[in-house]
């Protein structure tokens, strides 16, 4: 396994892979890897000849007052895990190579509409930062296939829309969310929770699961389900951000006749913002 931070070095390697007709799988991450990330790497290992994992804590996707400075950086542990999975290259660019002219002057990629709702409404500019860095990483790695976790459901839809809109020549694969035994979705941000918050955290999953079950049972009382869900979160000790029942592709509010849905939730425990979602295909 090679760790490369130099973009020219990565490109030289990329040329060799291309000459040899190898298929490149890419897993972009911000590091602090957990089993959710590793499941993306395993999917890439199954489907590609070469697997590249990037680790870059992207300043452009963090808002003012968010956790950019405290975001856990654990390169030694991450490298050991990736090596044991047989990853070929860890790409660790630095911020001055990704944003040589600084964030203010940076050309950006924005996917309108879908980027402004739900998480995008709570975190203005977040998806612009994601779309911009992912475009840059795609241009550097030039993968045939890239893997994203379904836990960041809206992110996956934004990336898919971007790839289609900009005619990017690669496939996007989303991999189902990995959960702890109590249902909590795996996330680097779980590491911020104290013991009491960690005990409360799976309530988010339970609330979304109960809404899913109610929809399966035939309920079409979306507003009431959302209201009850928010109340349960608040009673458990969360500060709810949103619960939404949306069309699984467009993320527009779901009509009662729609079958392909996703139930999404975000809520704060102290300063930690947790998100989760459950896709649902009604018969
Ligand atoms: O999902 C993440 O970790 C990040 O948003 C990503 C896709 C690596 C872009 O910085």
């Amino acid at each position: 396994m090679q760790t490369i931070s130099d973009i020219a070095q990565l490109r030289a390697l990329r040329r060799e892979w291309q000459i040899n007709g190898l298929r490149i799988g890419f897993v972009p991450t911000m590091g602090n890897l957990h089993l959710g990330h590793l499941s993306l790497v395993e999917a890439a290992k199954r489907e590609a000849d070469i697997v590249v994992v990037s680790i870059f804590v992207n300043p452009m996707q963090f808002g003012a007052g968010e956790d950019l400075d405290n975001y856990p950086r654990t390169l030694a542990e991450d490298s050991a895990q990736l090596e044991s999975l047989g990853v070929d290259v860890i790409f660790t660019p630095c911020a001055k190579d990704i944003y040589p002219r600084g964030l203010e002057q940076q050309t950006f990629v924005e996917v309108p509409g879908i980027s402004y709702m739900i998480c995008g409404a709570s975190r203005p500019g977040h998806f612009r930062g994601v779309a911009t860095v992912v475009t840059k990483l795609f241009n550097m790695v030039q993968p045939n296939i890239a893997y994203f976790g379904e836990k960041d459901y809206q992110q996956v839809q934004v990336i898919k829309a971007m790839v289609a809109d900009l005619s990017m020549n690669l496939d996007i694969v989303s991999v189902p969310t990995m959960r702890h035994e109590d249902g909590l979705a795996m996330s680097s941000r779980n590491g911020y929770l104290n013991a009491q918050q960690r005990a409360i955290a799976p309530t988010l999953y339970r609330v979304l699961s109960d809404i899913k079950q109610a929809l399966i049972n035939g309920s079409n009382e979306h507003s009431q389900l959302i209201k009850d869900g928010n109340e349960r979160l608040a009673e458990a000790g969360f500060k709810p951000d949103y619960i939404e029942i949306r069309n699984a592709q467009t993320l527009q509010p779901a009509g009662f006749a729609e079958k392909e849905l996703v139930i999404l939730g975000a809520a704060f425990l102290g300063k930690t913002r947790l998100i989760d979602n459950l896709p649902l295909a009604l018969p």
Side-chain angles (χ1 to χ4, degrees), residues 230-262:
N230 278 320
E231 278 170 16
R232 270 180 70 194
L233 288 177
E235 277 159 24
F238 280 94
K239 186 165 162 284
D241 183 353
Y242 64 76
I243 292 179
E244 296 287 347
I245 301 170
R246 297 279 171 134
N247 175 289
Q249 272 80 47
T250 63
L251 297 185
Q252 292 294 336
F256 299 129
E258 287 186 47
K259 303 290 182 204
E260 301 280 328
L261 307 176
V262 59

PDB file of all heavy atoms in Angstrom, residues 230-262:
ATOM      1  N   ASN A 230     -40.714  14.083  16.257  1.00  0.00           N
ATOM      2  CA  ASN A 230     -39.944  15.193  16.837  1.00  0.00           C
ATOM      3  C   ASN A 230     -40.164  15.283  18.345  1.00  0.00           C
ATOM      4  O   ASN A 230     -39.234  15.552  19.102  1.00  0.00           O
ATOM      5  CB  ASN A 230     -40.328  16.507  16.156  1.00  0.00           C
ATOM      6  CG  ASN A 230     -39.598  16.695  14.833  1.00  0.00           C
ATOM      7  OD1 ASN A 230     -38.416  16.386  14.712  1.00  0.00           O
ATOM      8  ND2 ASN A 230     -40.307  17.184  13.829  1.00  0.00           N
ATOM      9  N   GLU A 231     -41.412  15.047  18.767  1.00  0.00           N
ATOM     10  CA  GLU A 231     -41.704  15.106  20.217  1.00  0.00           C
ATOM     11  C   GLU A 231     -40.940  14.015  20.965  1.00  0.00           C
ATOM     12  O   GLU A 231     -40.375  14.243  22.024  1.00  0.00           O
ATOM     13  CB  GLU A 231     -43.207  14.945  20.445  1.00  0.00           C
ATOM     14  CG  GLU A 231     -43.933  16.277  20.252  1.00  0.00           C
ATOM     15  CD  GLU A 231     -45.450  16.138  20.225  1.00  0.00           C
ATOM     16  OE1 GLU A 231     -45.984  15.090  20.645  1.00  0.00           O
ATOM     17  OE2 GLU A 231     -46.074  17.103  19.761  1.00  0.00           O
ATOM     18  N   ARG A 232     -40.924  12.801  20.383  1.00  0.00           N
ATOM     19  CA  ARG A 232     -40.188  11.702  21.036  1.00  0.00           C
ATOM     20  C   ARG A 232     -38.699  12.015  21.143  1.00  0.00           C
ATOM     21  O   ARG A 232     -38.058  11.718  22.150  1.00  0.00           O
ATOM     22  CB  ARG A 232     -40.377  10.400  20.252  1.00  0.00           C
ATOM     23  CG  ARG A 232     -41.583   9.609  20.710  1.00  0.00           C
ATOM     24  CD  ARG A 232     -41.717   8.351  19.897  1.00  0.00           C
ATOM     25  NE  ARG A 232     -40.693   7.357  20.174  1.00  0.00           N
ATOM     26  CZ  ARG A 232     -40.460   6.288  19.392  1.00  0.00           C
ATOM     27  NH1 ARG A 232     -41.170   6.096  18.302  1.00  0.00           N
ATOM     28  NH2 ARG A 232     -39.527   5.422  19.722  1.00  0.00           N
ATOM     29  N   LEU A 233     -38.162  12.600  20.083  1.00  0.00           N
ATOM     30  CA  LEU A 233     -36.734  12.964  20.127  1.00  0.00           C
ATOM     31  C   LEU A 233     -36.486  13.978  21.240  1.00  0.00           C
ATOM     32  O   LEU A 233     -35.522  13.849  22.015  1.00  0.00           O
ATOM     33  CB  LEU A 233     -36.288  13.551  18.784  1.00  0.00           C
ATOM     34  CG  LEU A 233     -36.152  12.576  17.613  1.00  0.00           C
ATOM     35  CD1 LEU A 233     -35.764  13.334  16.331  1.00  0.00           C
ATOM     36  CD2 LEU A 233     -35.115  11.497  17.907  1.00  0.00           C
ATOM     37  N   ALA A 234     -37.343  14.971  21.313  1.00  0.00           N
ATOM     38  CA  ALA A 234     -37.174  16.018  22.335  1.00  0.00           C
ATOM     39  C   ALA A 234     -37.307  15.424  23.738  1.00  0.00           C
ATOM     40  O   ALA A 234     -36.510  15.747  24.636  1.00  0.00           O
ATOM     41  CB  ALA A 234     -38.188  17.137  22.106  1.00  0.00           C
ATOM     42  N   GLU A 235     -38.290  14.531  23.925  1.00  0.00           N
ATOM     43  CA  GLU A 235     -38.468  13.891  25.250  1.00  0.00           C
ATOM     44  C   GLU A 235     -37.233  13.090  25.648  1.00  0.00           C
ATOM     45  O   GLU A 235     -36.862  13.015  26.813  1.00  0.00           O
ATOM     46  CB  GLU A 235     -39.672  12.943  25.225  1.00  0.00           C
ATOM     47  CG  GLU A 235     -40.998  13.632  25.450  1.00  0.00           C
ATOM     48  CD  GLU A 235     -42.162  12.790  24.932  1.00  0.00           C
ATOM     49  OE1 GLU A 235     -42.015  11.553  24.831  1.00  0.00           O
ATOM     50  OE2 GLU A 235     -43.204  13.386  24.603  1.00  0.00           O
ATOM     51  N   ALA A 236     -36.584  12.457  24.630  1.00  0.00           N
ATOM     52  CA  ALA A 236     -35.404  11.631  24.926  1.00  0.00           C
ATOM     53  C   ALA A 236     -34.182  12.479  25.272  1.00  0.00           C
ATOM     54  O   ALA A 236     -33.189  11.954  25.782  1.00  0.00           O
ATOM     55  CB  ALA A 236     -35.103  10.742  23.724  1.00  0.00           C
ATOM     56  N   GLY A 237     -34.221  13.788  24.940  1.00  0.00           N
ATOM     57  CA  GLY A 237     -33.078  14.657  25.261  1.00  0.00           C
ATOM     58  C   GLY A 237     -32.399  15.236  24.028  1.00  0.00           C
ATOM     59  O   GLY A 237     -31.382  15.917  24.135  1.00  0.00           O
ATOM     60  N   PHE A 238     -32.944  14.953  22.849  1.00  0.00           N
ATOM     61  CA  PHE A 238     -32.410  15.548  21.619  1.00  0.00           C
ATOM     62  C   PHE A 238     -32.959  16.957  21.425  1.00  0.00           C
ATOM     63  O   PHE A 238     -34.060  17.279  21.899  1.00  0.00           O
ATOM     64  CB  PHE A 238     -32.893  14.767  20.389  1.00  0.00           C
ATOM     65  CG  PHE A 238     -32.141  13.500  20.084  1.00  0.00           C
ATOM     66  CD1 PHE A 238     -32.595  12.276  20.567  1.00  0.00           C
ATOM     67  CD2 PHE A 238     -31.007  13.512  19.300  1.00  0.00           C
ATOM     68  CE1 PHE A 238     -31.935  11.101  20.255  1.00  0.00           C
ATOM     69  CE2 PHE A 238     -30.337  12.340  18.978  1.00  0.00           C
ATOM     70  CZ  PHE A 238     -30.803  11.132  19.459  1.00  0.00           C
ATOM     71  N   LYS A 239     -32.226  17.759  20.649  1.00  0.00           N
ATOM     72  CA  LYS A 239     -32.805  18.968  20.054  1.00  0.00           C
ATOM     73  C   LYS A 239     -33.037  18.616  18.587  1.00  0.00           C
ATOM     74  O   LYS A 239     -32.075  18.539  17.797  1.00  0.00           O
ATOM     75  CB  LYS A 239     -31.834  20.136  20.192  1.00  0.00           C
ATOM     76  CG  LYS A 239     -32.375  21.441  19.739  1.00  0.00           C
ATOM     77  CD  LYS A 239     -31.467  22.557  20.268  1.00  0.00           C
ATOM     78  CE  LYS A 239     -31.677  23.837  19.515  1.00  0.00           C
ATOM     79  NZ  LYS A 239     -31.071  23.856  18.174  1.00  0.00           N
ATOM     80  N   PRO A 240     -34.305  18.311  18.211  1.00  0.00           N
ATOM     81  CA  PRO A 240     -34.541  17.866  16.834  1.00  0.00           C
ATOM     82  C   PRO A 240     -34.231  18.970  15.822  1.00  0.00           C
ATOM     83  O   PRO A 240     -34.497  20.141  16.082  1.00  0.00           O
ATOM     84  CB  PRO A 240     -36.032  17.533  16.805  1.00  0.00           C
ATOM     85  CG  PRO A 240     -36.468  17.481  18.223  1.00  0.00           C
ATOM     86  CD  PRO A 240     -35.536  18.355  19.019  1.00  0.00           C
ATOM     87  N   ASP A 241     -33.630  18.576  14.708  1.00  0.00           N
ATOM     88  CA  ASP A 241     -33.430  19.496  13.586  1.00  0.00           C
ATOM     89  C   ASP A 241     -34.567  19.263  12.594  1.00  0.00           C
ATOM     90  O   ASP A 241     -35.350  20.169  12.308  1.00  0.00           O
ATOM     91  CB  ASP A 241     -32.057  19.253  12.956  1.00  0.00           C
ATOM     92  CG  ASP A 241     -31.753  20.219  11.827  1.00  0.00           C
ATOM     93  OD1 ASP A 241     -32.643  20.993  11.449  1.00  0.00           O
ATOM     94  OD2 ASP A 241     -30.628  20.203  11.294  1.00  0.00           O
ATOM     95  N   TYR A 242     -34.686  18.042  12.085  1.00  0.00           N
ATOM     96  CA  TYR A 242     -35.832  17.738  11.222  1.00  0.00           C
ATOM     97  C   TYR A 242     -36.108  16.249  11.226  1.00  0.00           C
ATOM     98  O   TYR A 242     -35.224  15.438  11.507  1.00  0.00           O
ATOM     99  CB  TYR A 242     -35.576  18.195   9.775  1.00  0.00           C
ATOM    100  CG  TYR A 242     -34.425  17.476   9.083  1.00  0.00           C
ATOM    101  CD1 TYR A 242     -34.575  16.173   8.612  1.00  0.00           C
ATOM    102  CD2 TYR A 242     -33.199  18.099   8.907  1.00  0.00           C
ATOM    103  CE1 TYR A 242     -33.533  15.501   8.002  1.00  0.00           C
ATOM    104  CE2 TYR A 242     -32.142  17.430   8.292  1.00  0.00           C
ATOM    105  CZ  TYR A 242     -32.317  16.138   7.851  1.00  0.00           C
ATOM    106  OH  TYR A 242     -31.286  15.466   7.256  1.00  0.00           O
ATOM    107  N   ILE A 243     -37.340  15.911  10.923  1.00  0.00           N
ATOM    108  CA  ILE A 243     -37.703  14.570  10.451  1.00  0.00           C
ATOM    109  C   ILE A 243     -38.494  14.821   9.174  1.00  0.00           C
ATOM    110  O   ILE A 243     -39.340  15.714   9.127  1.00  0.00           O
ATOM    111  CB  ILE A 243     -38.569  13.799  11.462  1.00  0.00           C
ATOM    112  CG1 ILE A 243     -37.743  13.464  12.709  1.00  0.00           C
ATOM    113  CG2 ILE A 243     -39.116  12.510  10.840  1.00  0.00           C
ATOM    114  CD1 ILE A 243     -38.526  12.726  13.777  1.00  0.00           C
ATOM    115  N   GLU A 244     -38.188  14.063   8.133  1.00  0.00           N
ATOM    116  CA  GLU A 244     -38.859  14.275   6.849  1.00  0.00           C
ATOM    117  C   GLU A 244     -39.214  12.936   6.216  1.00  0.00           C
ATOM    118  O   GLU A 244     -38.467  11.958   6.369  1.00  0.00           O
ATOM    119  CB  GLU A 244     -37.941  15.038   5.871  1.00  0.00           C
ATOM    120  CG  GLU A 244     -37.597  16.450   6.305  1.00  0.00           C
ATOM    121  CD  GLU A 244     -38.752  17.419   6.168  1.00  0.00           C
ATOM    122  OE1 GLU A 244     -39.752  17.078   5.512  1.00  0.00           O
ATOM    123  OE2 GLU A 244     -38.656  18.531   6.729  1.00  0.00           O
ATOM    124  N   ILE A 245     -40.333  12.914   5.498  1.00  0.00           N
ATOM    125  CA  ILE A 245     -40.698  11.752   4.682  1.00  0.00           C
ATOM    126  C   ILE A 245     -40.669  12.249   3.243  1.00  0.00           C
ATOM    127  O   ILE A 245     -41.451  13.130   2.862  1.00  0.00           O
ATOM    128  CB  ILE A 245     -42.103  11.229   5.055  1.00  0.00           C
ATOM    129  CG1 ILE A 245     -42.125  10.851   6.541  1.00  0.00           C
ATOM    130  CG2 ILE A 245     -42.486  10.029   4.181  1.00  0.00           C
ATOM    131  CD1 ILE A 245     -43.519  10.548   7.087  1.00  0.00           C
ATOM    132  N   ARG A 246     -39.717  11.742   2.471  1.00  0.00           N
ATOM    133  CA  ARG A 246     -39.453  12.324   1.152  1.00  0.00           C
ATOM    134  C   ARG A 246     -39.440  11.269   0.044  1.00  0.00           C
ATOM    135  O   ARG A 246     -39.269  10.083   0.310  1.00  0.00           O
ATOM    136  CB  ARG A 246     -38.068  13.010   1.180  1.00  0.00           C
ATOM    137  CG  ARG A 246     -37.969  14.176   2.159  1.00  0.00           C
ATOM    138  CD  ARG A 246     -38.544  15.411   1.552  1.00  0.00           C
ATOM    139  NE  ARG A 246     -38.677  16.513   2.480  1.00  0.00           N
ATOM    140  CZ  ARG A 246     -38.297  17.762   2.199  1.00  0.00           C
ATOM    141  NH1 ARG A 246     -37.748  18.043   1.048  1.00  0.00           N
ATOM    142  NH2 ARG A 246     -38.508  18.731   3.065  1.00  0.00           N
ATOM    143  N   ASN A 247     -39.576  11.749  -1.197  1.00  0.00           N
ATOM    144  CA  ASN A 247     -39.370  10.895  -2.359  1.00  0.00           C
ATOM    145  C   ASN A 247     -37.898  10.437  -2.340  1.00  0.00           C
ATOM    146  O   ASN A 247     -36.987  11.252  -2.153  1.00  0.00           O
ATOM    147  CB  ASN A 247     -39.664  11.691  -3.629  1.00  0.00           C
ATOM    148  CG  ASN A 247     -39.353  10.897  -4.883  1.00  0.00           C
ATOM    149  OD1 ASN A 247     -38.206  10.645  -5.211  1.00  0.00           O
ATOM    150  ND2 ASN A 247     -40.401  10.512  -5.597  1.00  0.00           N
ATOM    151  N   ALA A 248     -37.687   9.133  -2.553  1.00  0.00           N
ATOM    152  CA  ALA A 248     -36.338   8.570  -2.379  1.00  0.00           C
ATOM    153  C   ALA A 248     -35.321   9.106  -3.380  1.00  0.00           C
ATOM    154  O   ALA A 248     -34.124   9.105  -3.091  1.00  0.00           O
ATOM    155  CB  ALA A 248     -36.403   7.048  -2.477  1.00  0.00           C
ATOM    156  N   GLN A 249     -35.765   9.582  -4.565  1.00  0.00           N
ATOM    157  CA  GLN A 249     -34.803  10.080  -5.554  1.00  0.00           C
ATOM    158  C   GLN A 249     -34.712  11.602  -5.545  1.00  0.00           C
ATOM    159  O   GLN A 249     -33.628  12.167  -5.457  1.00  0.00           O
ATOM    160  CB  GLN A 249     -35.182   9.626  -6.973  1.00  0.00           C
ATOM    161  CG  GLN A 249     -34.619   8.266  -7.358  1.00  0.00           C
ATOM    162  CD  GLN A 249     -35.453   7.129  -6.771  1.00  0.00           C
ATOM    163  OE1 GLN A 249     -36.670   7.168  -6.879  1.00  0.00           O
ATOM    164  NE2 GLN A 249     -34.808   6.149  -6.153  1.00  0.00           N
ATOM    165  N   THR A 250     -35.868  12.256  -5.611  1.00  0.00           N
ATOM    166  CA  THR A 250     -35.841  13.725  -5.748  1.00  0.00           C
ATOM    167  C   THR A 250     -35.672  14.423  -4.397  1.00  0.00           C
ATOM    168  O   THR A 250     -35.313  15.593  -4.347  1.00  0.00           O
ATOM    169  CB  THR A 250     -37.155  14.232  -6.362  1.00  0.00           C
ATOM    170  OG1 THR A 250     -38.229  13.915  -5.444  1.00  0.00           O
ATOM    171  CG2 THR A 250     -37.435  13.587  -7.706  1.00  0.00           C
ATOM    172  N   LEU A 251     -35.999  13.701  -3.321  1.00  0.00           N
ATOM    173  CA  LEU A 251     -36.021  14.259  -1.955  1.00  0.00           C
ATOM    174  C   LEU A 251     -37.060  15.368  -1.783  1.00  0.00           C
ATOM    175  O   LEU A 251     -37.018  16.115  -0.804  1.00  0.00           O
ATOM    176  CB  LEU A 251     -34.629  14.734  -1.511  1.00  0.00           C
ATOM    177  CG  LEU A 251     -33.573  13.628  -1.416  1.00  0.00           C
ATOM    178  CD1 LEU A 251     -32.263  14.168  -0.851  1.00  0.00           C
ATOM    179  CD2 LEU A 251     -34.055  12.496  -0.519  1.00  0.00           C
ATOM    180  N   GLN A 252     -37.993  15.462  -2.718  1.00  0.00           N
ATOM    181  CA  GLN A 252     -39.143  16.374  -2.534  1.00  0.00           C
ATOM    182  C   GLN A 252     -40.098  15.732  -1.524  1.00  0.00           C
ATOM    183  O   GLN A 252     -40.118  14.502  -1.388  1.00  0.00           O
ATOM    184  CB  GLN A 252     -39.879  16.559  -3.859  1.00  0.00           C
ATOM    185  CG  GLN A 252     -39.104  17.317  -4.918  1.00  0.00           C
ATOM    186  CD  GLN A 252     -38.868  18.767  -4.545  1.00  0.00           C
ATOM    187  OE1 GLN A 252     -39.615  19.350  -3.753  1.00  0.00           O
ATOM    188  NE2 GLN A 252     -37.805  19.349  -5.086  1.00  0.00           N
ATOM    189  N   PRO A 253     -40.906  16.527  -0.796  1.00  0.00           N
ATOM    190  CA  PRO A 253     -41.872  15.937   0.139  1.00  0.00           C
ATOM    191  C   PRO A 253     -42.703  14.871  -0.559  1.00  0.00           C
ATOM    192  O   PRO A 253     -43.160  15.074  -1.690  1.00  0.00           O
ATOM    193  CB  PRO A 253     -42.723  17.133   0.578  1.00  0.00           C
ATOM    194  CG  PRO A 253     -41.826  18.305   0.394  1.00  0.00           C
ATOM    195  CD  PRO A 253     -40.954  17.990  -0.797  1.00  0.00           C
ATOM    196  N   ALA A 254     -42.871  13.733   0.115  1.00  0.00           N
ATOM    197  CA  ALA A 254     -43.529  12.594  -0.538  1.00  0.00           C
ATOM    198  C   ALA A 254     -45.036  12.789  -0.551  1.00  0.00           C
ATOM    199  O   ALA A 254     -45.635  13.131   0.479  1.00  0.00           O
ATOM    200  CB  ALA A 254     -43.171  11.313   0.191  1.00  0.00           C
ATOM    201  N   GLY A 255     -45.649  12.553  -1.708  1.00  0.00           N
ATOM    202  CA  GLY A 255     -47.106  12.514  -1.790  1.00  0.00           C
ATOM    203  C   GLY A 255     -47.608  11.181  -1.253  1.00  0.00           C
ATOM    204  O   GLY A 255     -46.839  10.221  -1.133  1.00  0.00           O
ATOM    205  N   PHE A 256     -48.909  11.114  -0.955  1.00  0.00           N
ATOM    206  CA  PHE A 256     -49.442   9.912  -0.305  1.00  0.00           C
ATOM    207  C   PHE A 256     -49.409   8.691  -1.223  1.00  0.00           C
ATOM    208  O   PHE A 256     -49.350   7.572  -0.756  1.00  0.00           O
ATOM    209  CB  PHE A 256     -50.866  10.166   0.193  1.00  0.00           C
ATOM    210  CG  PHE A 256     -50.903  11.269   1.214  1.00  0.00           C
ATOM    211  CD1 PHE A 256     -51.788  12.317   1.088  1.00  0.00           C
ATOM    212  CD2 PHE A 256     -50.015  11.246   2.285  1.00  0.00           C
ATOM    213  CE1 PHE A 256     -51.803  13.344   2.023  1.00  0.00           C
ATOM    214  CE2 PHE A 256     -50.023  12.273   3.224  1.00  0.00           C
ATOM    215  CZ  PHE A 256     -50.914  13.322   3.086  1.00  0.00           C
ATOM    216  N   ALA A 257     -49.444   8.913  -2.549  1.00  0.00           N
ATOM    217  CA  ALA A 257     -49.470   7.768  -3.475  1.00  0.00           C
ATOM    218  C   ALA A 257     -48.069   7.260  -3.799  1.00  0.00           C
ATOM    219  O   ALA A 257     -47.914   6.250  -4.463  1.00  0.00           O
ATOM    220  CB  ALA A 257     -50.184   8.173  -4.752  1.00  0.00           C
ATOM    221  N   GLU A 258     -47.039   7.975  -3.333  1.00  0.00           N
ATOM    222  CA  GLU A 258     -45.677   7.583  -3.727  1.00  0.00           C
ATOM    223  C   GLU A 258     -45.227   6.336  -2.996  1.00  0.00           C
ATOM    224  O   GLU A 258     -45.563   6.125  -1.828  1.00  0.00           O
ATOM    225  CB  GLU A 258     -44.718   8.740  -3.464  1.00  0.00           C
ATOM    226  CG  GLU A 258     -44.905   9.850  -4.480  1.00  0.00           C
ATOM    227  CD  GLU A 258     -43.870  10.953  -4.323  1.00  0.00           C
ATOM    228  OE1 GLU A 258     -42.679  10.622  -4.206  1.00  0.00           O
ATOM    229  OE2 GLU A 258     -44.284  12.118  -4.293  1.00  0.00           O
ATOM    230  N   LYS A 259     -44.423   5.516  -3.709  1.00  0.00           N
ATOM    231  CA  LYS A 259     -44.026   4.213  -3.169  1.00  0.00           C
ATOM    232  C   LYS A 259     -42.559   4.166  -2.740  1.00  0.00           C
ATOM    233  O   LYS A 259     -42.191   3.415  -1.852  1.00  0.00           O
ATOM    234  CB  LYS A 259     -44.242   3.118  -4.228  1.00  0.00           C
ATOM    235  CG  LYS A 259     -45.680   3.027  -4.742  1.00  0.00           C
ATOM    236  CD  LYS A 259     -46.593   2.495  -3.681  1.00  0.00           C
ATOM    237  CE  LYS A 259     -48.013   2.343  -4.180  1.00  0.00           C
ATOM    238  NZ  LYS A 259     -48.984   2.374  -3.103  1.00  0.00           N
ATOM    239  N   GLU A 260     -41.717   4.925  -3.449  1.00  0.00           N
ATOM    240  CA  GLU A 260     -40.273   4.896  -3.151  1.00  0.00           C
ATOM    241  C   GLU A 260     -39.967   6.076  -2.236  1.00  0.00           C
ATOM    242  O   GLU A 260     -39.867   7.208  -2.683  1.00  0.00           O
ATOM    243  CB  GLU A 260     -39.454   5.033  -4.441  1.00  0.00           C
ATOM    244  CG  GLU A 260     -39.708   3.960  -5.468  1.00  0.00           C
ATOM    245  CD  GLU A 260     -38.952   2.679  -5.150  1.00  0.00           C
ATOM    246  OE1 GLU A 260     -37.851   2.751  -4.578  1.00  0.00           O
ATOM    247  OE2 GLU A 260     -39.496   1.597  -5.455  1.00  0.00           O
ATOM    248  N   LEU A 261     -39.830   5.776  -0.948  1.00  0.00           N
ATOM    249  CA  LEU A 261     -39.701   6.845   0.039  1.00  0.00           C
ATOM    250  C   LEU A 261     -38.392   6.738   0.798  1.00  0.00           C
ATOM    251  O   LEU A 261     -37.724   5.703   0.770  1.00  0.00           O
ATOM    252  CB  LEU A 261     -40.852   6.740   1.054  1.00  0.00           C
ATOM    253  CG  LEU A 261     -42.266   6.686   0.499  1.00  0.00           C
ATOM    254  CD1 LEU A 261     -43.258   6.493   1.636  1.00  0.00           C
ATOM    255  CD2 LEU A 261     -42.575   7.956  -0.260  1.00  0.00           C
ATOM    256  N   VAL A 262     -38.065   7.822   1.476  1.00  0.00           N
ATOM    257  CA  VAL A 262     -36.987   7.757   2.465  1.00  0.00           C
ATOM    258  C   VAL A 262     -37.414   8.615   3.652  1.00  0.00           C
ATOM    259  O   VAL A 262     -37.988   9.695   3.470  1.00  0.00           O
ATOM    260  CB  VAL A 262     -35.628   8.203   1.863  1.00  0.00           C
ATOM    261  CG1 VAL A 262     -35.669   9.612   1.325  1.00  0.00           C
ATOM    262  CG2 VAL A 262     -34.506   8.054   2.890  1.00  0.00           C
TER     263      VAL A 262
END
